Amino acid sequence: MLTADLARSRAADGEVTPLFIDPDDARYQETASELIELFETHVGEPKADLDTAIDQLTVADTDYKIIQGLAKLLRDECDFETVAAAEPREIRQRLFARANDSYPVVRQPTLGEDTRKLDVYTAVADDLGISLAECHQGMYADLDANNRLVRFGDQIAESVELDIDGTTSTTQLTGQSEEAYTGTALTVEWLLHRYNLALAQAVLYDATELRIRVWDEFATTFSYVKLFGLMHRIYPIDEHGERVSSTDLADGYEAILDGPASLFRQSRKYGIRMANFLPALPHCERWDLTAEILVDESTNETRELTLDQTTGLQTHYSGGSRYDSDLERTLATKWERANTEWELVREDDVIDLGAEVLLPDFALEHPDGRRAILEVVGFWTPEYLEEKLAKIRQADVNNLLLAVSEELDCTSEDIDLEADRVLWFKTGIHVYDVVDLAEEYAAQ
């Protein structure tokens, strides 16, 4: 995604509008093509050389933010690696130690006892069994500017050629294996569409509330809501987007996603999660989004961002996965190793809570026919959790369990609710804690 300094939007008349570019504009296509070619030609080269080449391209063009923004998205598709024939720290330690023993060290000896700088490098290179060029290059190879571009998209550097003072040496990559690098071919069309998506994402960093409406691809959309741990309330709607009384009358769903401003801390972290969710929406044939964007913290002034399927945004996300988050994946893995009769299965049903619906994460099923439902809650506020539990009690879903994260340093003492069916966890959910709750609250 883009950093805040590379975002481009216009605020006027109570609205925020990302300054999208036209992907069919020949000028932007040429710029994108030049940038992609620049990255391709720098595979195997130091990061500093790549950055210099990007800066030179920027100087020659007036669209500074656009070029730097496109380059940022291409950098996100890169892997950089320290490339050296020996550990840089080991090379430095040996060089400094030998230089200290051989003081003074000079470029050209003037006295018989003077030690040349070249002699120090040569001695250390011999000790380490590497060439003089590899010793010279490897001394500071672990600095960020000296890291080598080893993958760009699907292009991978298998080795790096070093040329120091006319001495050439080829060094194989020493960090990640080639199998660890995965990527796809990057095209001009991909880059320009990804840039427009990133412009919209950057606006959402400061969202206080996000309302989405979707009329298809429900499972994919809401799996990404859960994947990014967003606080949400989901309501059934008709074909016109108006709320209806039950899921039986629903043509689609509306979701209200609370923004980072509603949290106690970690607002930037949560804002990035909200921005990360946006690429899920273009999976839908029909969708719209309305967001309240905070533009002035001192006055709490907000402006509105609106997007829909006619905006032309394209997604790079897959159509969904088996688990919505690492937390769920870890729990499922633990469950497979646990000694319990209870089976953990994915829950695909929509639970009708009256005017609102709930899409739980798991169901726990026992061979005797008992069943419990588990909802995992990551980010939350006391008001959000109280409202969710109130609706659950009102709907009389007595076998629904909540696993609630203590990540925000809030506990049951901070909220006024009956926490009998709430499992508090810090870093992970323990299988047998869930089993104990299931034994108590499961129903036939």
Side-chain angles (χ1 to χ4, degrees), residues 150-440:
V150 296
R151 182 192 65 81
F152 171 63
D154 61 351
Q155 185 176 344
I156 301 171
E158 297 179 355
S159 61
V160 172
E161 189 173 277
L162 310 175
D163 189 351
I164 308 295
D165 296 331
T167 304
T168 301
S169 174
T170 300
T171 300
Q172 300 297 317
L173 297 185
T174 56
Q176 301 283 348
S177 66
E178 183 173 333
E179 290 74 18
Y181 293 124
T182 58
T184 56
L186 307 181
T187 65
V188 168
E189 181 184 12
W190 171 91
L191 178 57
L192 296 179
H193 281 288
R194 183 72 176 271
Y195 179 69
N196 280 341
L197 182 65
L199 288 175
Q201 287 178 295
V203 176
L204 292 177
Y205 294 160
D206 297 313
T208 61
E209 185 180 86
L210 184 63
R211 187 189 75 171
I212 63 169
R213 295 186 300 182
V214 293
W215 284 266
D216 53 84
E217 299 293 341
F218 309 127
T220 296
T221 302
F222 295 122
S223 71
Y224 278 107
V225 170
K226 290 177 172 292
L227 172 64
F228 296 115
L230 300 173
M231 295 183 291
H232 59 279
R233 297 179 296 278
I234 302 174
Y235 305 92
I237 57 175
D238 62 19
E239 62 175 324
H240 305 294
E242 300 297 326
R243 294 182 185 177
V244 293
S245 58
S246 74
T247 55
D248 294 334
L249 304 173
D251 294 304
Y253 290 98
E254 174 188 39
I256 306 298
L257 310 180
D258 290 333
S262 65
L263 292 171
F264 301 105
R265 292 204 303 262
Q266 299 176 327
S267 60
R268 174 57 64 177
K269 177 180 177 181
Y270 192 84
I272 291 174
R273 289 189 180 209
M274 185 165 281
N276 272 325
F277 163 73
L278 178 61
L281 290 176
H283 275 294
C284 305
E285 292 186 14
R286 182 187 176 193
W287 62 274
D288 62 39
L289 171 152
T290 303
E292 292 296 322
I293 309 299
L294 183 66
V295 295
D296 189 335
E297 259 188 90
S298 62
T299 63
N300 286 327
E301 179 187 358
T302 62
R303 288 195 170 99
E304 192 172 83
L305 168 70
T306 57
L307 301 168
D308 59 28
Q309 72 276 359
T310 66
T311 310
L313 298 181
Q314 294 188 8
T315 183
H316 55 284
Y317 283 179
S318 65
S321 59
R322 185 180 176 190
Y323 299 110
D324 297 330
S325 68
D326 289 338
L327 185 65
E328 295 177 19
R329 186 179 297 104
T330 300
L331 175 61
T333 301
K334 289 180 179 178
W335 208 282
E336 291 176 356
R337 299 195 298 260
N339 182 22
T340 176
E341 292 182 315
W342 288 92
E343 183 181 1
L344 186 74
V345 297
R346 294 295 290 172
E347 177 57 66
D348 295 324
D349 290 341
V350 174
I351 297 179
D352 197 332
L353 301 180
E356 187 176 339
V357 299
L358 178 70
L359 286 79
D361 299 299
F362 293 104
L364 287 78
E365 298 178 347
H366 195 276
D368 64 10
R370 287 179 296 157
R371 196 170 191 267
I373 300 168
L374 177 64
E375 165 79 349
V376 179
V377 181
F379 281 95
W380 58 276
T381 64
E383 295 77 16
Y384 171 79
L385 202 54
E386 285 178 7
E387 182 181 350
K388 181 181 284 285
L389 286 181
K391 285 184 169 62
I392 290 171
R393 293 192 197 98
Q394 185 178 357
D396 198 27
V397 186
N398 294 321
N399 65 334
L400 177 59
L401 314 174
L402 289 182
V404 183
S405 170
E406 295 182 13
E407 187 174 1
L408 296 180
D409 295 330
C410 300
T411 65
S412 56
E413 297 175 358
D414 297 309
I415 54 180
D416 182 21
L417 55 85
E418 298 174 9
D420 293 340
R421 286 182 287 157
V422 177
L423 172 64
W424 298 90
F425 67 91
K426 291 185 178 180
T427 58
I429 303 172
H430 297 296
V431 171
Y432 297 110
D433 290 340
V434 179
V435 168
D436 288 343
L437 283 179
E439 289 285 358
E440 186 171 356

